Amino acid sequence: PNGFVYDDVLIIQTNTSIQSLDSLPAALVAPYWPGEHGLELGLWRPTATMSFALQWAIGDGSPAPFHTVNVIVHVIASLLVLALLLELMSLPAAFAGAIVFAVHPVHVEAVANVIGFSELASTAAVLAACLLHVRAGPVSTWGSSLLIGLLYLFGFGAKESAVTLPGLIFIIDAARDQLGPRDIVRYVRQRWRTYAVMLVVAIGLLAGRYA
């Protein structure tokens, strides 16, 4: 029946703080794990918590909406992989890479387990931010930088692995433009807005997690 299993039970099925929209504001500033595990593990994922509460309300506690959302987000992430790879390589290579990503068994747990939404949402947000950055042109604008910051906020709020977005953006830029040591000053002048926005987002979320 594709019900709640393993960590789904503690984080969603028996977690009364996300089972009412009235208690959602308090849940968003509480640890990701309910009960005594929360403070011990120190995880804070407001994006995931908000999503779980909304899906619980929509399905009245049924696991079906959760599984549906996970599959949809995985499809979106796979399409984003294709779109990003198309910016970096030929169509056949990009298509092959996206197909491998879409069907690779390493993603089974993230898609099949309800709480895998954290990984899926974080991945989709990071991929969308990378794609937006690549398509924004050689010089970052405040408009594109703020949109990337919003995606960073969403992805980082889903799972901490999204913290790597600044590094991924730099690697993509370095590979596309063949950056060398002499190019760093020019690169910083072109891209400082994007990195400044991501720094503010990271500091804010890390401060929230510490609190």
Side-chain angles (χ1 to χ4, degrees), residues 126-147:
V126 166
L127 288 166
C130 289
L131 180 62
L132 176 60
H133 177 78
V134 168
R135 291 183 174 179
V139 179
S140 298
T141 64
W142 281 116
S144 64
S145 297
L146 291 174
L147 286 174

Side-chain angles (χ1 to χ4, degrees), residues 95-184:
F95 186 76
I99 287 294
V100 170
F101 178 89
V103 303
H104 199 289
V106 74
H107 300 309
V108 168
E109 182 178 358
V111 179
N113 278 19
V114 166
I115 63 163
F117 174 84
S118 295
E119 284 90 348
L120 299 169
S122 178
T123 300
V126 166
L127 288 166
C130 289
L131 180 62
L132 176 60
H133 177 78
V134 168
R135 291 183 174 179
V139 179
S140 298
T141 64
W142 281 116
S144 64
S145 297
L146 291 174
L147 286 174
I148 290 171
L150 287 174
L151 289 166
Y152 193 33
L153 179 66
F154 182 87
F156 202 156
K159 190 164 186 180
E160 304 76 18
S161 52
V163 71
T164 58
L165 176 61
L168 294 173
I169 284 179
F170 177 77
I171 289 172
I172 290 172
D173 285 341
R176 294 172 71 228
D177 300 334
Q178 297 182 339
L179 294 179
R182 296 180 179 179
D183 302 315
I184 296 301

